[in-house]
Amino acid sequence: MNILESNIPRYFLPQDREDFRLFLESPSGVYNVLEDHEGTIIGCGGIATRHQGEDGILTWGMIHAMRHRQGWGRRLTLARLAQLCALSSVKRITLHTSQESVGFYERLGFRTLAFTVDGYGAGLHRHDMQLIIDEPFCQQVSALLV
């Protein structure tokens, strides 16, 4: 919850607290925790699947605000993409995010399929994004994690 709190109001809204708390009580799929070199928890994010396993989903990904722009978010996201690549049924990965992090995901190859003004609340717009994956993409992700 501390990580979420550090990202309010830029990336999340106060009303997200309850949704995240409920998710943590019963997460769907796999939920990862990221520690720095000293063992301090600095990030978290999960994966799940739907539609007979063909759609991979990135869930509740975040890095503590004091650790932004240090490569941790990229590392965590690549690890989650690798987890989804390991599931042979996954053909595409979807997520939804705000305008605050859409560029981050675009640099990883995601494209916006839908956009909703104030989709999360006043001033926080929603981008529904997707990435089609194949074997060359998954090999590239694996190579970046080394």
Side-chain angles (χ1 to χ4, degrees), residues 19-37:
D19 290 341
F20 186 52
R21 185 187 65 73
L22 291 171
F23 173 82
L24 290 175
E25 288 178 1
S26 183
S28 59
V30 175
Y31 202 65
N32 306 289
V33 174
L34 177 66
E35 297 178 351
D36 67 9
H37 303 297

Side-chain angles (χ1 to χ4, degrees), residues 75-88:
R75 178 113 179 116
L76 177 61
T77 303
L78 288 172
R80 294 158 68 204
L81 293 175
Q83 287 175 313
L84 288 167
C85 281
L87 304 174
S88 61

Side-chain angles (χ1 to χ4, degrees), residues 25 52 96:
E25 288 178 1
Q52 291 82 38
H96 57 86

Side-chain angles (χ1 to χ4, degrees), residues 9-64:
R10 183 170 180 190
Y11 296 94
F12 296 98
L13 297 173
Q15 57 264 34
D16 291 326
R17 290 179 181 114
E18 182 64 10
D19 290 341
F20 186 52
R21 185 187 65 73
L22 291 171
F23 173 82
L24 290 175
E25 288 178 1
S26 183
S28 59
V30 175
Y31 202 65
N32 306 289
V33 174
L34 177 66
E35 297 178 351
D36 67 9
H37 303 297
E38 288 83 40
T40 302
I41 296 173
I42 61 167
C44 49
I47 64 163
T49 60
R50 64 179 176 204
H51 300 122
Q52 291 82 38
E54 288 191 1
D55 287 341
I57 305 164
L58 296 182
T59 61
W60 287 101
M62 63 190 88
I63 299 294
H64 194 285

